[in-house]
Amino acid sequence: MAANGTGQATAFAQDGHDLRRRNVAGTTSNGSLTDSPVDYDEKKIKKPQQQSILAVLDEWEFLIAPLIFTALSFFTRMYKIGLSPIVTWDEAHFGKFGSHYLKREFYFDVHPPLGKMLVGLSGYLAGYNGSFEFKSGETYPPELNYTFMRIFNATFGALCVPLAYFTAQQLNFRRPAIWFVTLMVLCENSYATISRFILLDSMLLFFTFTTVLCWSRFHQLRHESFSPEWFLWLFLNGISIGCVCSVKWVGLFCTALVGLYTVEDLWNKFGDLDMPVVSMVYSVYMFSFYIHFLVLENSGPGDAQMSSLFQANLRGTEVGKDSPLEIAYGSRATLKNMGYGGGLLHSHIQTYPEGSQQQQVTCYHHKDANNDWFFYPNRSMPEYDPEAPLKYVADKDIIRLIHSQTGRNLHSHVMGAPVTKADNEVSCYGNITVGDDKDHWTVEVVNDAASSDRSKIRTLTTAFRLKHTTLGCYLRAGNVNLPQWGFKQIEVTCTKQNKPRDVYTHWNVESHWNEKLPAGDPGSYKSPFFRDFVHLNVAMMTSNNALVPDPDKQDDLASQFWQWPILHVGLRMCGWDDHIVKYFLLGNPAVYWGSTLSLGLIGAMVVWYIVRWQRGYDDLTIKDVDFIHYSGLYPVLGWFLHYLPFVAMARVTYVHHYYPALYFAILTAGFVVNWFTRPLARSNKNVEWAVYGVLYALVIGLFILFKAIVFGMEGDNKQWRHLKWFDRWRITD
């Protein structure tokens, strides 16, 4: 681009020099008189001044153009941003999560915390106190400055446009192609629409764009390895990737892209695969969780996803509150599975529809009286006498667990579990007097966070396993969900495999009641940060994988991966009544179809040159190959890394999942147009600019045509029926 600009400036200078040679005062080259001095002065004043202005604009294009694009970007992202006063689409989720930060309440979500902390920051800056519940479709109260919170989010979306400009510049696109890429991002309707609400997507896109910019600049400095600027962009790259991963896990695909480049780059230099950027990514990612834990110090709706010891240290928690430290026979307690994302041992009156048809036993993440169990002696011991002296439960003791609400015994038998058929079914059976030896469980202490003494089981701190005394299997609660008849709760089984390190067979007492024992101090023991960090991330992964389409429900907003690149479907972001300001999430057809077409064209182009090379033709220089490699194929690789996981993903998906991949398709489109207009750039720049002018007009024109879906559709939706090109574009009823 710089070379192009220099070439144009040189052309202007050369024209000026020719003018000066043609206007030597008084004579021409053959000695004849020139125009009068007055005429000469007029020409001298007018024409060179006009060209000098063009030369100045050309020289300062690198500053003027991004400023203009940025101003337009802020306009398209913020114009009428506060028009709709209702909670729109996923504002119901992320606005609520921001509220939890303001109230400092612990919550659980499948996404990392950085984006939601920024939402909380926007609320704090707007003077919001966190009291609004963000129910979908509800009108914002007057005291909540939702417009400011939306503007805060939209700023991230608006800044994506100059980032695209500078990235295309670093990829060595010529000036017309740089403008083309920037216009595609600026005029992408879906980017403009989704940036206008209190969501995570604008932040995700912003950090995706910064990552690609840092990578492209780092690549430009490959011949200046270990210079201060090289280290600066390496550092910024790591920070940017850490941020994008800390907003949503889709950022891991950016990590993969830059990681593959770094492997190639360092291997070419040293044959060394050490990647220092990875340590920075982990540092930023872990730091976001450190702040997350630090801020959310109060008990909240997400407590049950964490370990009992973590919960006991939250302010206002009931976990471990006034709980006696040591467990005795006759004690009532809740048992927490220590696996990642583990729940509380639970039972209810519903029975298994198949198998033993006895009372179901599950794991449940919410506080419920059905989570309570009594520790009772086994049937070979004297019956429990509440008046007798206390006897404590110890390692290797054989016990019974009796469900407090139904009075039935925790039981297992030789019968396949409902889902995990290789394990034995676990049920509730009999009562205090009716039962058999299959109600017996042997306590095996694994460790204790507070003591090396295993003679007693302690609340919160003791991890233990429950071995079925007769069958030899172990009580286990993995991450398998029961069908709807089990209310989608976690399946509890008795596994035949003896794996002492399997945390899904580890249990601890979370809450404990016994009037004969003194209350303990649950806050005297702290849960280590790294253990909490790992625990929460595995719980997030488990919950994310559980977001599968429900065959019993129809989700009108969901879509499939193949629909995205061809713009087969859009998404209604709110209700479609006439009195509601309506927004429809749909891309610019020129951007979507053009970028998807470019993915096929670059594949065909690469195949063409490979065949030509194999047949002995030398069409490409080393510089051309390098340009195709880094400016063409790496964006394609980025698209594949961001798109293909959704092909294999079983979870429910929506159109906005394609937006990071779309950016790489846009960069690919910029490369393809830049490559195929090279002959015009050499032969006739006017024709080249005419071609780009048509492309600019198409992108801008379609954005303007569909502007209503971005800025809000007021009144009867049928007035926009001309925008419903296909039945799946449900802009009108």
Side-chain angles (χ1 to χ4, degrees), residues 334-386:
T334 60
L335 302 183
K336 168 82 170 179
N337 184 266
M338 299 184 71
Y340 304 113
L344 296 162
L345 189 65
H346 176 94
S347 187
H348 39 239
I349 60 172
Q350 285 79 10
T351 59
Y352 292 113
E354 299 176 351
S356 68
Q357 298 186 346
Q358 294 173 2
Q359 187 171 299
Q360 297 175 18
V361 174
T362 66
C363 256
Y364 189 52
H365 286 106
H366 301 280
K367 304 296 189 277
D368 189 314
N370 281 323
N371 301 334
D372 296 354
W373 302 82
F374 284 105
F375 282 82
Y376 263 54
N378 65 66
R379 296 190 186 280
S380 63
M381 296 172 64
E383 290 187 9
Y384 169 67
D385 182 2

Side-chain angles (χ1 to χ4, degrees), residues 38-287:
V38 175
D39 293 335
Y40 167 73
D41 288 340
E42 289 176 354
K43 293 179 180 179
K44 185 177 179 181
I45 291 170
K46 292 179 181 178
K47 196 165 185 179
Q49 183 180 15
Q50 181 183 3
Q51 292 192 343
S52 65
I53 293 174
L54 292 175
V56 168
L57 292 175
D58 178 75
E59 181 181 357
W60 290 93
E61 182 276 343
F62 73 94
L63 181 61
I64 297 171
L67 285 176
I68 293 173
F69 282 127
T70 303
L72 292 172
S73 180
F74 273 89
F75 172 78
T76 57
R77 272 61 178 172
M78 295 186 182
Y79 176 63
K80 299 170 71 173
I81 195 169
L83 180 63
S84 175
I86 66 171
V87 178
T88 302
W89 197 38
D90 278 353
E91 286 185 331
H93 297 299
F94 301 115
K96 181 170 58 181
F97 295 147
S99 298
H100 288 311
Y101 284 105
L102 296 174
K103 293 186 289 186
R104 308 192 72 171
E105 294 176 341
F106 192 83
Y107 72 94
F108 176 78
D109 181 45
V110 297
H111 300 301
L114 178 60
K116 293 166 293 185
M117 286 193 288
L118 290 172
V119 171
L121 175 62
S122 72
Y124 175 79
L125 295 175
Y128 170 49
N129 61 9
S131 60
F132 185 59
E133 295 185 5
F134 281 89
K135 293 181 179 179
S136 183
E138 193 169 292
T139 302
Y140 284 107
E143 65 273 13
L144 200 167
N145 190 353
Y146 67 92
T147 300
F148 179 88
M149 295 180 69
R150 287 178 177 174
I151 289 173
F152 183 93
N153 270 50
T155 300
F156 289 94
L159 291 175
C160 289
V161 172
L163 289 171
Y165 174 91
F166 291 117
T167 299
Q169 192 179 66
Q170 292 301 316
L171 291 175
N172 293 325
F173 294 170
R174 295 191 311 282
R175 182 178 298 170
I178 294 173
W179 291 4
F180 181 54
V181 167
T182 311
L183 275 175
M184 290 180 82
V185 175
L186 171 66
C187 297
E188 172 44 43
N189 298 71
S190 62
Y191 282 178
T193 305
I194 207 163
S195 297
R196 302 167 66 83
F197 298 98
I198 306 170
L199 307 172
L200 301 187
D201 299 272
S202 60
M203 302 169 192
L204 175 68
L205 289 171
F206 173 79
F207 290 119
T208 300
F209 279 52
T210 58
T211 297
V212 180
L213 173 61
C214 292
W215 162 77
S216 60
R217 181 58 188 161
F218 181 71
H219 172 68
Q220 289 286 2
L221 297 169
R222 63 193 180 280
H223 301 306
E224 301 176 38
S225 298
F226 306 108
S227 66
E229 189 178 2
W230 184 88
F231 275 114
L232 172 65
W233 286 98
L234 178 68
F235 173 77
L236 292 176
N237 206 0
I239 296 297
S240 184
I241 299 173
C243 287
V244 72
C245 291
S246 300
V247 174
K248 282 188 177 182
W249 276 347
V250 70
L252 292 171
F253 307 139
C254 275
T255 307
L257 176 66
V258 177
L260 289 172
Y261 170 80
T262 308
V263 166
E264 179 188 3
D265 185 55
L266 294 181
W267 180 261
N268 290 337
K269 285 184 172 69
F270 316 111
D272 182 6
L273 297 184
D274 182 33
M275 291 180 286
V277 71
V278 173
S279 61
M280 287 181 281
V281 174
Y282 281 130
S283 298
V284 172
Y285 185 74
M286 290 183 67
F287 183 69

Side-chain angles (χ1 to χ4, degrees), residues 81 187 290 314 347 352 356 404 435 632 650 714 722 725:
I81 195 169
C187 297
Y290 176 79
L314 294 172
S347 187
Y352 292 113
S356 68
S404 67
E714 299 179 81
H722 62 283
W725 293 3

Side-chain angles (χ1 to χ4, degrees), residues 541-579:
M541 186 182 304
T542 303
S543 296
N544 191 60
N545 292 338
L547 296 175
V548 296
D550 190 339
D552 298 328
K553 296 180 181 179
Q554 180 178 346
D555 189 346
D556 291 331
L557 302 182
S559 54
Q560 295 180 311
F561 67 90
W562 63 267
Q563 297 176 298
W564 306 335
I566 59 174
L567 201 61
H568 184 257
V569 67
L571 185 148
R572 290 184 176 183
M573 300 184 71
C574 55
W576 230 241
D577 296 338
D578 291 348
H579 68 279

